[in-house]
Amino acid sequence: METISFEEAAKAVNGQLTFADKNARIRGVSTDSRNVQNGDLFFAIPGEHFNGHQFIVQAIDDGAIGVVVSREHTLDLKGRSSSIIQVANTITALGDLAKYYRQKLGTRIIGITGSNGKTTTKEMTYHLLSCFSPTVKSQKSFNNFIGVPITIFEIENKHRYGVLEMGTNAPGEILRLSEISNPEIAVIVNISKTHLEGLGSIEGVARAKGEILENIRTGGVFVYNIDNPWCITIADRYKGKSVSFGFNHHAQIRCTDVKKKNTGYMITINGYLDVYIPIPGDHNINNCLASFAICYALGHDLRDLKDALSSFKLPSMRMEQQCIGNITVINDAYNANPESVNAALQYLGEINTRNRRVFICGDMLELGKESYQLHREVGEKVARLNIDALWTVGEHACDIARAAKLSGMPESRIMSFKEVADISASEINTLKEDDTVLIKGSRGMHMEKIIEKFREFFLKQELSHNCF
Ligand SMILES: CC(=O)N[C@H]1[C@@H](OP(=O)(O)OP(=O)(O)OC[C@H]2O[C@@H](n3ccc(=O)[nH]c3=O)[C@H](O)[C@@H]2O)O[C@H](CO)[C@@H](O)[C@@H]1O[C@H](C)C(=O)N[C@@H](C)C(=O)N[C@H](CCC(=O)N[C@@H](CCC[C@@H](N)C(=O)O)C(=O)O)C(=O)O
Ligand SMILES: Nc1ncnc2c1ncn2[C@@H]1O[C@H](COP(=O)(O)OP(=O)(O)OP(=O)(O)O)[C@@H](O)[C@H]1O
Ligand SMILES: C[C@@H](N)C(=O)N[C@H](C)C(=O)O
């Protein structure tokens, strides 16, 4: 972070400032006392498990030189000295300071939203842009009112690019995130039925994603998926410059050929550029096109990027393939919604495997009124594809099992569990040598815990074999 003064910060967040040291400058921002650095301004944030106000003293002891606190909080610094900025709402203040700080930077900001593939596209874009210039990216999937500001504070003037992920599960969130980050390139990777509980309907998802254009920089570029009808509707209304990507003939960044390779794909872009993507899943071609479209929108010659993705690795829990005992496990358990489950199922249905294809699926959360129907559709798809066994986990996923059975999948191939803990060794023992098992489910389902169970099971098996 470039240093800023306390006066600047207090003004930016509309806060009331009490000085400890008039000469001190803020050298970083933290919301977590567990990783405060010397010179940080600590924002006390209320959360799901704790309230950051409980950790103010710890933050000061660990190097924070100032704190941003809620006016409602009665402050007791237990004898410590610190500059204090009192505000109405600390999360709003965090965003306001990031907005102010962003405007001081010369960095070109890319804001990426969409229903699926934001993190992957962000990672790919970072991979490409860092070939040219110093670039900052959001950590993990830091994409909300806390994650986006934290990323912005990591940017310094030496960084030419900042690649920010923006997520939402309620109307108005992307609007605020785009206000804070004021992107020069605004990207919608795709629009599908996700977070319907807060966004209401697919129209609501489209409206929410479209909010990213409300605060695009003057002269900025909208990068969108031309294969997605909702993105086209948004692009049609947008009056500024745009760059489209996809398989559609009209795409400016168009995939003109795909060759499947053992470990990924060789794709051709615009008929002349052969790009190797060393990762599984057809959907990742889309994410790759999005990242190339971003580089094109920024004015780069795509020929310079030809080999850049050949060393790309997916973030964890996205199509993460591993051998455990005598089976292959694909961990795609970071999250789940109808579109990403479809993409994963498609992959499982087509994969080369020496034995069975097993799909283990947990609940798809936050789907609101459409949840029942959307889970049923997954079950129907499982029955249609070459899936040999289906395990479901959770009350909603049970509807996947029922629909698969009703659509003709033999009952003997289906098992349903209330929760991951209910999966025992006897069920794992039904897996056969060389089975390929794909694991998917919403974050709240923690489906990755099944992999631990697999590991324990095969380790025990190995130990017992060694005893004889
Ligand atoms: C608030 C926060 O940052 N929490 C992180 C923290 O959680 P923890 O369990 O410790 O407790 P609290 O959240 O209750 O803590 C409150 C504050 O107290 C601080 N604190 C706590 C303990 C302590 O000893 N000292 C402290 O100072 C604490 O730091 C808080 O400020 O730690 C967890 C483990 O590291 C984090 O997981 C947790 O992070 C939360 C989830 C978070 O929002 N983090 C952002 C940086 C972020 O961007 N996370 C993304 C995922 C975001 C997401 O889910 N996005 C949705 C769409 C957006 C929906 C939006 N409406 C929303 O609700 O977020 C999507 O679909 O993509 C990520 O982690 O990848
Ligand atoms: N373009 C895509 N279309 C459909 N599914 C996708 C696409 N890209 C990624 N996925 C699937 O979605 C899951 C999450 O991927 P990724 O983290 O890139 O998406 P995201 O939109 O960032 O998710 P989140 O909002 O939860 O951070 C992965 O399991 C992946 O297989
Ligand atoms: C984890 C969060 N980014 C997300 O995608 N949530 C949905 C509901 C999920 O986990 O499927």
Side-chain angles (χ1 to χ4, degrees), residues 195 334-336 365-366 442-443:
H195 299 299
Y334 180 73
N335 67 10
L365 300 173
E366 292 191 35
S442 270
R443 190 78 309 272

PDB file of all heavy atoms in Angstrom, residues 195 334-336 365-366 442-443, ligand 3:
ATOM      1  N   HIS A 195     -27.304 -18.048  -6.442  1.00  0.00           N
ATOM      2  CA  HIS A 195     -27.725 -17.126  -5.373  1.00  0.00           C
ATOM      3  C   HIS A 195     -29.154 -16.599  -5.603  1.00  0.00           C
ATOM      4  O   HIS A 195     -29.416 -15.408  -5.381  1.00  0.00           O
ATOM      5  CB  HIS A 195     -26.759 -15.943  -5.266  1.00  0.00           C
ATOM      6  CG  HIS A 195     -25.349 -16.329  -4.940  1.00  0.00           C
ATOM      7  ND1 HIS A 195     -25.000 -16.978  -3.784  1.00  0.00           N
ATOM      8  CD2 HIS A 195     -24.198 -16.141  -5.620  1.00  0.00           C
ATOM      9  CE1 HIS A 195     -23.688 -17.178  -3.756  1.00  0.00           C
ATOM     10  NE2 HIS A 195     -23.177 -16.694  -4.864  1.00  0.00           N
ATOM     11  N   TYR A 334     -15.525 -26.736  -4.506  1.00  0.00           N
ATOM     12  CA  TYR A 334     -15.476 -25.369  -3.960  1.00  0.00           C
ATOM     13  C   TYR A 334     -16.883 -24.786  -3.808  1.00  0.00           C
ATOM     14  O   TYR A 334     -17.214 -24.164  -2.807  1.00  0.00           O
ATOM     15  CB  TYR A 334     -14.600 -24.437  -4.815  1.00  0.00           C
ATOM     16  CG  TYR A 334     -14.587 -23.061  -4.209  1.00  0.00           C
ATOM     17  CD1 TYR A 334     -13.875 -22.836  -3.033  1.00  0.00           C
ATOM     18  CD2 TYR A 334     -15.354 -22.030  -4.734  1.00  0.00           C
ATOM     19  CE1 TYR A 334     -13.915 -21.610  -2.413  1.00  0.00           C
ATOM     20  CE2 TYR A 334     -15.398 -20.791  -4.117  1.00  0.00           C
ATOM     21  CZ  TYR A 334     -14.675 -20.592  -2.958  1.00  0.00           C
ATOM     22  OH  TYR A 334     -14.738 -19.374  -2.333  1.00  0.00           O
ATOM     23  N   ASN A 335     -17.705 -24.983  -4.836  1.00  0.00           N
ATOM     24  CA  ASN A 335     -19.091 -24.527  -4.728  1.00  0.00           C
ATOM     25  C   ASN A 335     -19.953 -25.292  -5.717  1.00  0.00           C
ATOM     26  O   ASN A 335     -19.439 -26.144  -6.453  1.00  0.00           O
ATOM     27  CB  ASN A 335     -19.204 -23.008  -4.937  1.00  0.00           C
ATOM     28  CG  ASN A 335     -18.869 -22.589  -6.360  1.00  0.00           C
ATOM     29  OD1 ASN A 335     -18.731 -23.421  -7.252  1.00  0.00           O
ATOM     30  ND2 ASN A 335     -18.735 -21.303  -6.577  1.00  0.00           N
ATOM     31  N   ALA A 336     -21.240 -25.009  -5.736  1.00  0.00           N
ATOM     32  CA  ALA A 336     -22.112 -25.719  -6.684  1.00  0.00           C
ATOM     33  C   ALA A 336     -23.374 -24.937  -6.959  1.00  0.00           C
ATOM     34  O   ALA A 336     -23.979 -24.350  -6.058  1.00  0.00           O
ATOM     35  CB  ALA A 336     -22.469 -27.091  -6.137  1.00  0.00           C
ATOM     36  N   LEU A 365     -26.738 -24.793  -2.567  1.00  0.00           N
ATOM     37  CA  LEU A 365     -27.406 -23.888  -1.618  1.00  0.00           C
ATOM     38  C   LEU A 365     -27.817 -22.563  -2.266  1.00  0.00           C
ATOM     39  O   LEU A 365     -27.417 -22.261  -3.396  1.00  0.00           O
ATOM     40  CB  LEU A 365     -26.492 -23.645  -0.414  1.00  0.00           C
ATOM     41  CG  LEU A 365     -26.108 -24.912   0.369  1.00  0.00           C
ATOM     42  CD1 LEU A 365     -25.073 -24.600   1.445  1.00  0.00           C
ATOM     43  CD2 LEU A 365     -27.341 -25.559   1.000  1.00  0.00           C
ATOM     44  N   GLU A 366     -28.609 -21.821  -1.520  1.00  0.00           N
ATOM     45  CA  GLU A 366     -29.046 -20.459  -1.922  1.00  0.00           C
ATOM     46  C   GLU A 366     -29.795 -20.427  -3.254  1.00  0.00           C
ATOM     47  O   GLU A 366     -29.619 -19.500  -4.032  1.00  0.00           O
ATOM     48  CB  GLU A 366     -27.836 -19.503  -1.992  1.00  0.00           C
ATOM     49  CG  GLU A 366     -27.212 -19.210  -0.640  1.00  0.00           C
ATOM     50  CD  GLU A 366     -26.194 -18.074  -0.690  1.00  0.00           C
ATOM     51  OE1 GLU A 366     -26.395 -17.121  -1.466  1.00  0.00           O
ATOM     52  OE2 GLU A 366     -25.206 -18.147   0.065  1.00  0.00           O
ATOM     53  N   SER A 442     -22.140 -27.363  -2.589  1.00  0.00           N
ATOM     54  CA  SER A 442     -21.943 -25.968  -2.191  1.00  0.00           C
ATOM     55  C   SER A 442     -20.934 -25.879  -1.050  1.00  0.00           C
ATOM     56  O   SER A 442     -20.682 -26.855  -0.341  1.00  0.00           O
ATOM     57  CB  SER A 442     -23.265 -25.336  -1.778  1.00  0.00           C
ATOM     58  OG  SER A 442     -23.864 -24.764  -2.906  1.00  0.00           O
ATOM     59  N   ARG A 443     -20.328 -24.703  -0.883  1.00  0.00           N
ATOM     60  CA  ARG A 443     -19.287 -24.501   0.119  1.00  0.00           C
ATOM     61  C   ARG A 443     -19.761 -24.941   1.506  1.00  0.00           C
ATOM     62  O   ARG A 443     -19.054 -25.574   2.261  1.00  0.00           O
ATOM     63  CB  ARG A 443     -18.882 -23.004   0.121  1.00  0.00           C
ATOM     64  CG  ARG A 443     -17.659 -22.612   0.907  1.00  0.00           C
ATOM     65  CD  ARG A 443     -16.347 -22.937   0.219  1.00  0.00           C
ATOM     66  NE  ARG A 443     -16.218 -24.293  -0.257  1.00  0.00           N
ATOM     67  CZ  ARG A 443     -15.744 -25.315   0.473  1.00  0.00           C
ATOM     68  NH1 ARG A 443     -15.360 -25.119   1.710  1.00  0.00           N
ATOM     69  NH2 ARG A 443     -15.643 -26.525  -0.036  1.00  0.00           N
TER      70      ARG A 443
HETATM   71  C1  LIG B   3     -18.635 -19.819  -1.429  1.00  0.00           C
HETATM   72  C2  LIG B   3     -19.438 -18.826  -2.201  1.00  0.00           C
HETATM   73  N1  LIG B   3     -18.506 -18.152  -3.028  1.00  0.00           N
HETATM   74  C3  LIG B   3     -20.465 -19.551  -3.056  1.00  0.00           C
HETATM   75  O1  LIG B   3     -20.259 -19.816  -4.210  1.00  0.00           O
HETATM   76  N2  LIG B   3     -21.598 -19.886  -2.452  1.00  0.00           N
HETATM   77  C4  LIG B   3     -22.549 -20.771  -3.071  1.00  0.00           C
HETATM   78  C5  LIG B   3     -23.856 -20.682  -2.374  1.00  0.00           C
HETATM   79  C6  LIG B   3     -22.009 -22.198  -3.030  1.00  0.00           C
HETATM   80  O2  LIG B   3     -21.222 -22.514  -2.150  1.00  0.00           O
HETATM   81  O3  LIG B   3     -22.374 -22.986  -3.890  1.00  0.00           O
END
